[in-house]
Amino acid sequence: MSERYQQYFSANRDHHLNELKELLAIPSISALSEHKGDMQRASQWIADSLKKAGMDNVQIMPTKGHPVVYGEWLKAEGKPTVLIYGHYDVQPVDPMELWDSPPFEAVIRDEKIYARGSSDDKGQVLMHIKALEAILHNEGTLPLNFKFCIEGEEEIASPHLAEFVEEHKDLLAANVLVISDTPMLEKGRPAICTGLRGLCGLQIDVKGAKSDLHSGLYGGAVQNPIHALVHILDTMRNPDGQITVEGFYDKVVPVSESEREEYRALGIDEERIRQELGVPAFFGEKGYSLLERTWIRPTLEINGIYGGFQGEGIKTVLPAEAHAKVTCRLVPDQNPDEILELIRKHVEKHTPPGVTVSVSFFDRGRPFSTPIDHPAIQAAGRAYEKVYGVPVAYNRMGGSIPVVETMGRILDTPVVLMGFALPSENFHAPNEHFHLENFDKGLLTLCEYWFELERSLS
């Protein structure tokens, strides 16, 4: 099967890359209202591509935000159904001056395609469409039934997708949910992600006097909101990196020693990573490796802190207020709402006299994990190994994709995270790119996977 499909994809490579360039030229930035028209254009482009590939019942379905594109092929009677999820929206491109080429004019350099959305997630979405198109062209049919759910709000935390999925559970019902929006371990080393950390965020606002005060007249007699904020934040973590918020770790599910051994066997070069990051040393909970700290342990991080005079030189004031933004990455079975409430109580308990403090809650998403031994995941591993010629790695990710847990829970279906991007491809940053080696091999892997999955689930 592989040789025939290799010939097909080789013959159609330029055509497929030109189509990808068309899609990448649409500045579908979901976070910016001025791009609402571009979001419509991108959704229409995806819908047209699904139709050309042979999908039926293709719809651009409205939500309270940007639309969802749906399509299906349900002619494999008696066979299981796969739901493929992806997103057509992209991150903003700032700072523009750091791009080596215009972010929405895709260029190929050194067998990498550079443009916003090339790896996250337009390139991977198009691969799914083209893989099924290839199978239909070569076989006249598909080994399984397929549905597509391609949304336009992933980069703004999918605020309307849960409601959409709840309303359309029957339409989206499937035996397996497959998502390609995660990275491989490194070049030449494919990985299937079996766990994602959850997320919750908050802002702490500390207020003192009704206005800034002269530090000579009132310094030492009036509480300084910045000092108060620093004190509050400092009580949240000890020098060993452990989080000291009461109850924070209570529901953390311990990871088995066998899984930790699998991570050690990956042979990650921590010293190389340290040098690449330019840090003098790593920091974190004692007793855990770099991978464990970023994959299986929860965090509490200060993402921003501000207040008082920010200009050149010195201004001798006691600021009237100070602010901090804090996020936590969560692991099974931590509940983001419960964690936020624990932090709010901690802030109240440790607020010094002389200031008032308020806490506002922001983004939240539940952690996700899935068993490695599920037949759908093992089939994905075999497909990777056939094409890449190396054993697949089963890993977790430190990042958060709330939609994964949301869709898996609402639809009550196993989730397979098989991505083809590389961690070094600058997604969310200037000069985002996608290695065409993985575009080529990814198409073959997906074709292999659908036949492997049909055999595994039959």
Side-chain angles (χ1 to χ4, degrees), residues 95-327:
M96 276 291 295
E97 65 273 12
L98 296 183
W99 285 83
D100 294 332
S101 54
F104 296 108
E105 296 178 17
V107 296
I108 295 175
R109 300 192 298 269
D110 301 322
E111 277 299 283
K112 305 167 193 171
I113 187 165
Y114 286 80
R116 172 60 86 227
S118 53
S119 61
D120 182 20
D121 185 37
K122 289 180 177 179
Q124 301 194 68
V125 166
L126 187 63
M127 286 164 57
H128 274 285
I129 298 172
K130 292 305 171 186
L132 293 188
E133 182 178 84
I135 296 174
L136 277 172
H137 176 84
N138 283 278
E139 314 294 339
T141 187
L142 296 177
L144 300 159
N145 295 297
F146 288 90
K147 298 177 180 179
F148 282 85
C149 177
I150 312 299
E151 70 150 323
E153 297 187 325
E154 195 274 344
E155 298 294 5
I156 53 173
S158 304
H160 303 106
L161 190 68
E163 181 180 0
F164 178 87
V165 175
E166 285 279 10
E167 290 178 358
H168 300 92
K169 277 196 292 190
D170 292 340
L171 181 69
L172 299 173
N175 301 97
V176 179
L177 171 61
V178 176
I179 301 175
S180 295
D181 196 16
T182 51
M184 296 170 40
L185 195 62
E186 58 187 8
K187 181 176 172 61
R189 298 187 69 184
I192 297 173
C193 181
T194 62
L196 296 162
R197 291 195 290 190
L199 175 72
C200 64
L202 64 139
Q203 179 166 315
I204 303 171
D205 300 299
V206 181
K207 295 188 177 181
K210 62 182 180 181
S211 64
D212 289 357
L213 300 176
H214 191 295
S215 66
L217 296 177
Y218 295 101
V222 174
Q223 178 67 271
N224 184 321
I226 294 179
H227 281 289
L229 177 60
V230 169
H231 168 75
I232 293 169
L233 296 173
D234 192 47
T235 65
M236 292 183 176
R237 207 166 70 174
N238 69 20
D240 292 329
Q242 293 175 318
I243 297 160
T244 52
V245 175
E246 186 175 351
F248 187 89
Y249 293 107
D250 285 358
K251 293 188 176 181
V252 172
V253 177
V255 176
S256 68
E257 184 57 34
S258 62
E259 185 170 350
R260 295 182 72 181
E261 180 56 38
E262 288 179 8
Y263 299 156
R264 287 191 284 269
L266 292 175
I268 297 298
D269 187 344
E270 292 193 10
E271 177 59 19
R272 177 183 60 81
I273 296 173
R274 184 195 67 77
Q275 292 179 12
E276 288 177 353
L277 295 176
V279 294
F282 285 120
F283 170 81
E285 286 184 273
K286 288 185 176 180
Y288 294 96
S289 68
L290 172 64
L291 288 186
E292 291 167 347
R293 290 169 181 168
T294 56
W295 288 359
I296 65 173
R297 297 300 293 168
T299 68
L300 186 153
E301 299 289 352
I302 303 164
N303 307 123
I305 183 168
Y306 55 101
F309 180 63
Q310 305 291 315
E312 185 178 355
I314 294 293
K315 184 179 181 183
T316 53
V317 295
L318 297 179
E321 55 188 57
H323 314 270
K325 297 180 185 293
V326 176
T327 56

Side-chain angles (χ1 to χ4, degrees), residues 2 5 9 17 45 63 75 89-90 205 262 264 285 314 323 330 359 423 434 441:
S2 291
Y5 280 85
F9 287 123
L17 290 178
W45 197 99
T63 72
K75 300 173 185 176
D89 65 321
V90 301
D205 300 299
E262 288 179 8
R264 287 191 284 269
E285 286 184 273
I314 294 293
H323 314 270
L330 309 177
V359 178
F434 190 28
K441 289 185 175 180

